[in-house]
Amino acid sequence: MRALRRLIGGLALLVALAAAALLLWGLLRGRSEDLPWTPLDLAAPVGLSTGRKLTALTRDFPLCRALLDQAGVRYRVLPPREEGRCGYRDGVRFADGGARAIDYRPAGLGIACPVAAALSVWEWQVVQPAAQRRFGSRVVAIDHFGSYACRRIYGRDAGTWSEHATADAVDIAGFRLADGRRITVARDWRGDGDDAAFLHEVRDGACRLFATTLSPDYNAAHHDHLHLDQADRTAGWRACR
């Protein structure tokens, strides 16, 4: 029993030291976005804690909407949807204008608010900078395979429900640039050129913003898209592949 108490005490001490080190490190760098207890700002640089704060918005629709408003993202709230084990109460659809410049094709994409918040940050901090750096052109549209779908993972008859079942996921198929270039995951993921490098860069950037980011590197089922979701897992673990 004494050994168990020592072990628990040692673990508590390690957690406290880690928290203190993180606080000191964040303060020294002057980057509040690295600290887990500071408020989320969608316009701020991406920090160590940005992804977890975005995922936590799955539990706070009013805060998510307030953050979109603060960042100048235009949207409209979708009516709640209930379909057995599926549905959502935090659905939004991007509207034209505002701080965002990328359209989604097909038009009318409906997504959970935390996904919308992460997509906005992804556009500003990852996608557009990568496109300008590699191609000297901006992204004007993103092709997608949809968000909401009342199904289990991989469409199985049993097992875990997909994040698509609550609109907390979106599948990204490709990107269209202002200069007319089109980059697709299915065609351009493999290779050594700028198109492949761009796709890998935006995948890596998504890993910092979404709870789950899956690409063709994960399995054959993702050969033609990037799966991005905000799964609010109990243990808080994140997946990037």
Side-chain angles (χ1 to χ4, degrees):
M1 199 67 179
R2 184 178 298 175
L4 179 59
R5 285 198 295 268
R6 282 203 202 97
L7 176 61
I8 293 174
L11 290 175
L13 178 60
L14 286 175
V15 170
L17 289 174
L22 179 60
L23 172 61
L24 179 60
W25 185 63
L27 292 174
L28 289 175
R29 297 178 71 206
R31 287 173 53 92
S32 62
E33 57 271 18
D34 288 332
L35 304 175
W37 49 81
T38 56
L40 175 62
D41 180 356
L42 300 184
V46 177
L48 293 176
S49 298
T50 301
R52 293 188 183 277
K53 293 175 186 178
L54 286 165
T55 301
L57 295 177
T58 58
R59 302 187 297 271
D60 197 336
F61 188 27
L63 175 59
C64 186
R65 292 176 59 184
L67 290 172
L68 291 179
D69 293 337
Q70 176 186 328
V73 176
R74 295 184 182 176
Y75 63 94
R76 76 178 178 87
V77 175
L78 299 178
R81 181 167 185 166
E82 293 187 13
E83 192 177 352
R85 294 287 299 273
C86 307
Y88 49 81
R89 292 182 174 274
D90 60 352
V92 300
R93 178 169 291 142
F94 286 133
D96 294 337
R100 293 181 48 263
I102 294 179
D103 292 328
Y104 284 83
R105 300 182 184 179
L109 174 66
I111 44 180
C113 188
V115 177
L119 286 175
S120 300
V121 179
W122 193 47
E123 172 184 337
W124 302 326
Q125 306 286 351
V126 179
V127 174
Q128 294 292 28
Q132 291 285 357
R133 188 165 51 251
R134 295 190 180 277
F135 309 116
S137 183
R138 62 186 180 87
V139 173
V140 295
I142 290 178
D143 297 320
H144 67 88
F145 291 150
S147 175
Y148 178 74
C150 185
R151 63 173 176 82
R152 299 175 192 270
I153 292 177
Y154 299 125
R156 294 168 178 159
D157 295 331
T160 304
W161 286 91
S162 169
E163 293 301 313
H164 285 284
T166 53
D168 281 300
V170 63
D171 291 336
I172 303 299
F175 303 82
R176 300 171 187 254
L177 304 185
D179 62 8
R181 183 192 300 255
R182 187 181 178 199
I183 303 166
T184 70
V185 176
R187 183 189 63 212
D188 301 314
W189 183 261
R190 311 293 178 190
D192 299 322
D194 282 339
D195 291 0
F198 169 79
L199 290 174
H200 284 76
E201 184 173 348
V202 298
R203 186 275 308 272
D204 294 346
C207 290
R208 303 180 64 193
L209 303 172
F210 292 89
T212 310
T213 301
L214 302 177
S215 71
D217 286 347
Y218 179 56
N219 62 15
H222 296 83
H223 74 280
D224 59 355
H225 68 276
L226 304 178
H227 169 93
L228 313 177
D229 77 42
Q230 290 294 24
D232 189 15
R233 303 181 180 94
T234 302
W237 62 272
R238 308 173 71 77
C240 173
R241 180 70 186 276

